[in-house]
Amino acid sequence: MADRRIRVLLVDDHQVVRRGLRTFLEIQDDIEVVGEAADGAEGVARTQELSPDVVLMDIKMPATDGIEALRRLRELENPAKVLIVTSFTEQRTVVPALRAGASGYVYKDVDPDALAGAIRSVYAGHVLLQPEVAGALLAQDGPGAGTGRGSTLTEREREVLGLIADGRSNREIARALVLSEKTVKTHVSNILMKLDLSDRTQAALWAVRNGAAG
């Protein structure tokens, strides 16, 4: 499975943008564009149909936007990682997108090689957060929110949480702690349950806010 290509779905209402993304991504040896969608509703349907590894999703689209599409995918418990595509002027919409389940975001003028790197990163389980957006998320939560729940974590769970905050994937955490990936997944599930969080992004932010980051 080492040579398995990352399956990517493009969701953007501008055909020219989709064409440009496809043209670049299809020259990557490890990335395969499996489909396209022109709005959020179609994006959700295509994600369910095609089972991509990563969905490259625009935020502003007619009818169903990217944030609503994210919420629907979350309700469906779809495992695809979602990488939001946004512009500098839309930064205030990034926070709701991350809260809705996005694994990170890139700006629309991102360097092509950086875009490919971002896709590989979220596929590996990393969370992509710019410092200013992480700060906005923390400010919305308020200082110390949920601190008490951290006392229920075991020492090993705290180690795993610290590595999540460092942006490590389950495989990297397993290697660092000399554990199986299955064991790491169990620890991550327990952490989310104990902290009443829904995803790794929230776990990483909780760790930063409460001093549990590495």
Side-chain angles (χ1 to χ4, degrees):
M1 295 295 290
D3 59 350
R4 182 183 182 280
R5 302 175 80 190
I6 303 171
R7 294 165 52 82
V8 175
L9 174 69
L10 307 176
V11 184
D12 193 294
D13 59 317
H14 292 99
Q15 185 177 8
V16 172
V17 172
R18 297 198 309 272
R19 185 178 301 159
L21 290 171
R22 177 183 280 273
T23 299
F24 168 71
L25 293 176
E26 285 186 337
I27 67 174
Q28 304 299 310
D29 292 337
D30 60 340
I31 295 175
E32 175 187 6
V33 178
V34 296
E36 301 179 15
D39 62 40
E42 185 183 2
V44 172
R46 296 287 277 169
T47 300
Q48 293 293 94
E49 172 193 350
L50 299 170
S51 300
D53 300 307
V54 177
V55 179
L56 205 56
M57 178 106 63
D58 190 15
I59 289 184
K60 290 187 176 180
M61 293 181 286
T64 304
D65 64 14
I67 294 174
E68 178 59 27
L70 273 160
R71 291 178 180 140
R72 293 184 189 180
L73 288 173
R74 193 175 200 171
E75 289 172 358
L76 294 168
E77 298 183 351
N78 191 286
K81 306 291 176 59
V82 178
L83 186 61
I84 287 293
V85 182
T86 184
S87 69
F88 287 102
T89 58
E90 296 169 349
Q91 193 178 104
R92 68 179 59 188
T93 64
V94 171
V95 172
L98 291 168
R99 291 205 178 282
S103 295
Y105 66 96
V106 291
Y107 291 121
K108 287 191 173 180
D109 61 352
V110 65
D111 177 85
D113 290 331
L115 172 62
I119 290 171
R120 296 181 185 109
S121 185
V122 297
Y123 172 67
H126 295 281
V127 175
L128 297 181
L129 286 178
Q130 299 274 343
E132 66 271 19
V133 173
L137 281 163
L138 294 175
Q140 285 192 3
D141 282 345
T147 304
R149 294 194 295 268
S151 62
T152 64
L153 297 179
T154 65
E155 185 61 33
R156 179 62 85 187
E157 287 165 353
R158 283 188 166 276
E159 290 178 323
V160 172
L161 179 59
L163 292 171
I164 290 174
D166 286 341
R168 306 283 190 94
S169 66
N170 284 350
R171 178 173 297 181
E172 290 170 331
I173 294 173
R175 289 175 179 168
L177 300 180
V178 195
L179 300 170
S180 69
E181 283 191 61
K182 183 177 180 180
T183 298
V184 171
K185 288 179 181 178
T186 299
H187 284 314
V188 172
S189 295
N190 289 339
I191 289 167
L192 296 179
M193 179 185 67
K194 289 181 177 181
L195 299 180
D196 192 23
L197 303 173
S198 58
D199 55 49
R200 296 171 74 96
T201 302
Q202 292 184 3
L205 292 168
W206 188 97
V208 172
R209 181 177 63 239
N210 294 285

